[in-house]
Amino acid sequence: MMAPKEALDLLREGNRAFLNDQGVIPALDRDTRLRLAAGQSPFAAYVSCSDSRVPPELLFGRGLGELFIVRNAGNTLDTAALGSLEFAVSVLGVPLIVVMGHEACGAVQAAVSVVHDKARFAGNIGKMIQPIIPAVLEADLSCETGIEPAVRQNVRRVVRELREDSSPIFLEPQAHGKLMVVGAYYRLTSGEVDFFDLAGK
């Protein structure tokens, strides 16, 4: 089984290649598909935004069967997200969970507008952004920084929940060094992923 740091190093290496326009072309051939049909063993689980500009496989040059991805607007945790991650850790044995926010996140922008402009959203959009509002309230926002502090704080809150306030499925492997949970921020303009919330820092 891959160690958590090895998994993180693989992602960093893949993003460096992406930044240098040297993206890896993953195996998509029939033999690979047949092998994966028998079972999967991804090396990382990813909580990412649904934003169409933020596809984790492409940002890290990864292919079929390598990343177990949970995506929703604002990269938050609900029952489906937590259950999916629990499956990734307890059944698939992933050693790494990455929670990644991104530049110009529409869900975080909507939460900011609720807090600062008392905006209201129809349907389930309001319910969807509700978990992001505490991060907006905690963030130090200014005209210069835009929503970036709120995006990063939202990532920190999700990471903290997975590190400290979750089920034993997450806490026990972290205590034994078999699982690491990290936070990241993706810059749309540069393509760079900043792993800014690392365990122990």
Side-chain angles (χ1 to χ4, degrees), residues 136-150:
V136 173
L137 292 170
E138 292 168 3
D140 183 17
L141 301 180
S142 68
C143 293
E144 293 77 29
T145 60
I147 66 167
E148 182 175 334

Side-chain angles (χ1 to χ4, degrees), residues 55-128:
E57 293 98 336
L58 298 182
L59 307 184
F60 298 103
R62 308 321 306 183
L64 296 173
E66 294 190 289
L67 300 180
F68 188 91
I69 299 174
V70 177
R71 296 184 73 174
N72 59 51
N75 41 271
T76 59
L77 294 178
D78 58 13
T79 302
L82 282 168
S84 298
L85 292 173
E86 287 177 355
F87 179 82
V89 171
S90 64
V91 177
L92 302 178
V94 299
L96 176 69
I97 296 175
V98 180
V99 180
M100 189 174 76
H102 67 93
E103 184 178 12
C105 178
V108 173
Q109 183 61 65
V112 169
S113 68
V114 167
V115 171
H116 292 286
D117 305 322
K118 301 201 177 351
R120 297 174 68 97
F121 294 90
N124 287 296
I125 298 174
K127 293 177 188 174
M128 178 192 70

Side-chain angles (χ1 to χ4, degrees), residues 177-201:
K178 295 178 179 177
L179 174 68
M180 184 163 60
V181 180
V182 303
Y185 179 84
Y186 174 60
R187 297 189 183 280
L188 298 176
T189 46
S190 70
E192 179 186 10
V193 175
D194 172 20
F195 292 96
F196 70 93
D197 190 346
L198 302 175
K201 292 193 176 182

